[in-house]
Amino acid sequence: MKSKFLFLALLSLLGGCTNEMASYQASPEQAFTLLREKTYPWDEEYRRAIVVMSMPKCMLRYKMPPDKGDIIKVTVYNSGDGYYVLKDKAGQYLANLADCSMSVVEKEIIDPGEFKGFFETLPGQPLRFIAAPAKPQPKTQPKIPAAPARKSAN
């Protein structure tokens, strides 16, 4: 009887733990994964990290500032040449998929590049990545070469 009570007590402690992840895949071999974890129910903060991956070359994990539950969005921008800007309430980061590097950027980035989407955490829902709407393709008329003029048989 005591072992059942102890088991239920330990199980209830684990109920407050959180371990979530979501990914943005830039290409079949390259991605960012946001990790968010809370080890114990009494922890006040979520530990966060970004994994920058370019397979099979590299995969590196970088710590991000902790989240007290108030950072619900991390936006992702493509700056070109393999560089991406990630922004959230705690700061902004520059990541390079070619060599899996990432650094904190102190100065405000005015034009971060093309918006690709955002990681989002909503109460009662798992962490997820919401992709930016696809840009509509311009409608163009197919270019058909003109047929050569026929000679009349008159």
Side-chain angles (χ1 to χ4, degrees):
M1 183 69 166
K2 285 184 180 181
S3 63
K4 285 184 181 180
F5 177 74
L6 182 60
F7 175 75
L8 290 174
L10 289 174
L11 189 60
S12 68
L13 285 177
L14 294 176
C17 304
T18 304
N19 190 353
E20 301 176 319
M21 67 180 84
S23 294
Y24 162 68
Q25 192 164 354
S27 74
E29 301 85 22
Q30 299 177 318
F32 296 108
T33 300
L34 177 61
L35 308 169
R36 194 170 175 262
E37 59 186 22
K38 189 178 196 181
T39 308
Y40 303 106
W42 54 84
D43 284 346
E44 293 183 13
E45 297 179 330
Y46 291 90
R47 288 189 303 270
R48 300 184 311 148
I50 281 279
V51 176
V52 182
M53 178 178 73
S54 185
M55 298 306 278
K57 186 179 178 182
C58 57
M59 181 169 64
L60 295 171
R61 179 180 173 143
Y62 296 92
K63 286 183 179 181
M64 294 178 75
D67 170 13
K68 293 189 179 209
D70 59 343
I71 300 176
I72 60 169
K73 192 181 282 189
V74 178
T75 54
V76 178
Y77 301 90
N78 183 348
S79 296
D81 295 328
Y83 286 93
Y84 285 78
V85 173
L86 291 84
K87 288 185 170 191
D88 65 13
K89 187 177 177 181
Q92 49 190 5
Y93 318 91
L94 183 63
N96 184 344
L97 286 173
D99 63 3
C100 297
S101 62
M102 188 171 105
S103 59
V104 175
V105 178
E106 299 296 331
K107 292 183 179 181
E108 178 68 23
I109 299 174
I110 304 300
D111 181 16
E114 180 186 358
F115 176 67
K116 301 307 276 182
F118 56 91
F119 294 97
E120 178 181 61
T121 304
L122 295 176
Q125 294 184 7
L127 177 65
R128 60 188 181 161
F129 182 80
I130 306 295
K135 291 182 178 178
Q137 296 295 323
K139 293 183 180 182
T140 59
Q141 294 291 337
K143 294 189 168 119
I144 301 172
R150 291 187 184 177
K151 292 184 181 179
S152 63
N154 289 349

